[in-house]
Amino acid sequence: MDNSDIEHIEINLLLEGIRSRWGYDFTNYSYASLKRRLEHARNEAGLIRFTELLDQLMHNEGLFDKFLKSMSITVTEMFRDPAFYKTIREKLIPVLKTFPFIKIWHAGCATGEEVYSMAILLHEENFLERTRIYATDFNKQSLDIAEKGVYPVRVIESYADNYRIAGGKQNFSDYYNSGYDFIKMKDFLKERITFSYHNLVTDSVFGEMNLISCRNVLIYFDKTLQNHVLTLFSDSMRYGGFLCLGSKESLNFSSVKNIFESVDAKQRIFKKRGDTNV
């Protein structure tokens, strides 16, 4: 047995320990991506072996919280991929407006930038008051940032550019207050958003949604876990509801592929087949 085999055994023991002790299941994450993040966490802790990291994580909740942050993917921004939001505005909003009230789930919302982007878009379409947005993530630190809605002022110029390209109808500065080196999203945007903890790997259906957005999360999962999460989304969605994935994500090879039809192939937007009556 060579060192790579031993390392693989250590990683499996580490993942099983984390699942048993803390309830977080990373066993079906893409192995290459998972290994890189585990190596980073091990090195940050000043350790040599994964078994040493396991011992630390079993007994040190503070270290586990730090470890969990390193396992989260939080690459996001306001109106990320502006063409996606332009498509939401032009193709999906007219359909959603046929309902008296809708529910939207941002799964894996990270630090919340895309959630506020959706709230801004809905506000400009005079539909925010008829919407409840659920923003969930398994990283409580990211959720805390999202709920506060406070971001560095240095990113605002790029966010404003995204907003404009996405078809924004007002000045982006209308949606935040600035002070010192930070901006804070205005409170009226938060009134329709519920931030809550949810683990896509272990938690259950989050039901009766009209739109589910989970972009650039599935790419870190293997095919088994992707299928599990896509099934969860299908079960959490009304007939005629919309599913929005990331640019490198697909329903191909999943068990729910035939349940959905494509609305916009380029933007990875799908519609659940079936009766769309309110």
Side-chain angles (χ1 to χ4, degrees), residues 232-267:
L232 173 67
F233 289 159
S234 177
D235 292 343
S236 300
M237 185 181 298
R238 295 188 63 164
Y239 290 116
F242 298 103
L243 173 63
C244 303
L245 302 179
S247 60
K248 297 180 180 179
E249 297 167 334
S250 169
L251 296 178
N252 291 339
F253 311 112
S254 74
S255 63
V256 300
K257 178 182 178 181
N258 294 330
I259 296 175
F260 290 87
E261 60 186 63
S262 177
V263 173
D264 190 303
K266 185 175 181 180
Q267 300 304 329

Side-chain angles (χ1 to χ4, degrees), residues 37-257:
R37 282 183 276 166
L38 289 175
E39 287 173 341
H40 175 74
R42 181 193 62 191
N43 296 338
E44 282 287 298
L47 304 172
I48 298 173
R49 301 187 185 282
F50 290 114
T51 47
E52 295 175 304
L53 180 61
L54 173 60
D55 182 63
Q56 293 285 323
L57 293 177
M58 290 299 96
H59 306 288
N60 187 330
E61 185 172 0
L63 179 63
F64 180 74
D65 287 341
K66 186 176 180 181
F67 166 81
L68 198 60
K69 185 177 181 180
S70 73
M71 296 299 289
S72 298
I73 305 300
T74 55
V75 180
T76 186
E77 59 186 32
M78 292 276 190
F79 292 93
R80 183 183 188 185
D81 303 323
F84 166 77
Y85 286 94
K86 196 171 181 64
T87 302
I88 294 288
R89 190 188 293 270
E90 294 175 354
K91 291 187 177 181
L92 271 58
I93 294 298
V95 177
L96 294 173
K97 280 186 173 181
T98 64
F99 291 81
F101 182 84
I102 66 164
K103 294 193 289 186
I104 294 175
W105 179 17
H106 275 269
C109 72
T111 45
E113 287 89 337
E114 295 189 53
V115 180
Y116 289 111
S117 301
M118 183 67 75
I120 289 170
L121 189 157
L122 291 165
H123 168 72
E124 292 187 351
E125 296 299 323
N126 300 309
F127 199 56
L128 183 59
E129 292 301 314
R130 291 161 55 191
T131 304
R132 171 57 62 185
I133 302 173
Y134 298 90
T136 68
D137 204 277
F138 79 89
N139 186 316
K140 294 176 182 177
Q141 291 177 307
S142 293
L143 272 176
D144 185 56
I145 294 171
E147 191 160 13
K148 287 184 171 68
V150 176
Y151 304 107
V153 73
R154 58 180 166 77
V155 301
I156 290 307
E157 185 174 345
S158 64
Y159 288 0
D161 286 342
N162 286 350
Y163 166 76
R164 176 181 52 79
I165 298 168
K169 297 181 177 180
Q170 299 178 201
N171 293 319
F172 188 61
S173 58
D174 293 340
Y175 298 110
Y176 63 84
N177 297 311
S178 58
Y180 300 102
D181 295 326
F182 296 91
I183 63 103
K184 184 176 186 296
M185 305 310 295
K186 288 191 173 179
D187 287 341
F188 80 88
L189 294 172
K190 302 179 186 182
E191 290 175 0
R192 309 304 300 172
I193 304 172
T194 300
F195 294 95
S196 62
Y197 172 89
H198 186 277
N199 189 328
L200 289 172
V201 179
T202 57
D203 290 339
S204 59
V205 168
F206 210 78
E208 292 298 300
M209 297 293 153
N210 299 88
L211 186 152
I212 296 176
S213 180
C214 184
R215 304 174 66 229
N216 305 302
V217 174
L218 297 182
I219 55 174
Y220 299 102
F221 300 162
D222 69 10
K223 296 297 182 184
T224 300
L225 186 50
Q226 286 182 19
N227 191 68
H228 167 79
V229 174
L230 289 170
T231 301
L232 173 67
F233 289 159
S234 177
D235 292 343
S236 300
M237 185 181 298
R238 295 188 63 164
Y239 290 116
F242 298 103
L243 173 63
C244 303
L245 302 179
S247 60
K248 297 180 180 179
E249 297 167 334
S250 169
L251 296 178
N252 291 339
F253 311 112
S254 74
S255 63
V256 300
K257 178 182 178 181

